[in-house]
Amino acid sequence: MGDETPPCLKSIDGGRTFAVVNAMHGDNHGFWINPTNSNYLANANDGGGSISLDGGKSWSTQDNQPTAQFYPRDGRRRFSVQASTRDSRITRR
């Protein structure tokens, strides 16, 4: 099997070629490039969010923020949800 998560890619020549950007975490969902300074990047993924100020060579930590996604736990109880910290632990309320 292996990891089937596609990598983050960056082009600096209008899309003719691409290079892998080593993001902090796999399963990336959102990626923003500052339109006035392409060295400023923001990445949203299952592990949280991170910022790069050097075009993806280094990233801010993701260990300084609570990150969770909420899912309905069952259809019988109103407000019964499960909060998943995705690749970490699960909290039930």
Side-chain angles (χ1 to χ4, degrees), residues 43-58:
N43 179 293
N45 55 61
D46 279 0
S50 54
I51 303 293
S52 175
L53 303 177
D54 58 11
K57 294 176 188 160
S58 65

Side-chain angles (χ1 to χ4, degrees), residues 24-30 43-50 61-63 65-68 85-87:
M24 288 292 294
H25 197 279
D27 204 3
N28 300 289
H29 297 283
N43 179 293
N45 55 61
D46 279 0
S50 54
T61 184
Q62 294 186 168
D63 295 331
Q65 56 197 276
T67 303
T85 54
R86 297 297 295 180
D87 297 332

Side-chain angles (χ1 to χ4, degrees), residues 3-84:
D3 185 7
E4 297 179 22
T5 302
C8 287
L9 301 173
K10 178 181 175 183
S11 176
I12 59 171
D13 59 9
R16 287 188 290 277
T17 61
F18 292 88
V20 173
V21 175
N22 292 318
M24 288 292 294
H25 197 279
D27 204 3
N28 300 289
H29 297 283
F31 201 80
W32 177 78
I33 303 169
N34 184 322
T36 60
N37 186 340
S38 62
N39 282 320
Y40 293 0
L41 309 173
N43 179 293
N45 55 61
D46 279 0
S50 54
I51 303 293
S52 175
L53 303 177
D54 58 11
K57 294 176 188 160
S58 65
W59 293 90
S60 65
T61 184
Q62 294 186 168
D63 295 331
N64 61 353
Q65 56 197 276
T67 303
Q69 291 179 317
F70 290 87
Y71 307 91
R73 196 167 89 180
D74 60 43
R76 296 175 298 206
R77 292 177 42 205
R78 190 173 183 198
F79 304 115
S80 176
V81 297
Q82 176 172 308
S84 169

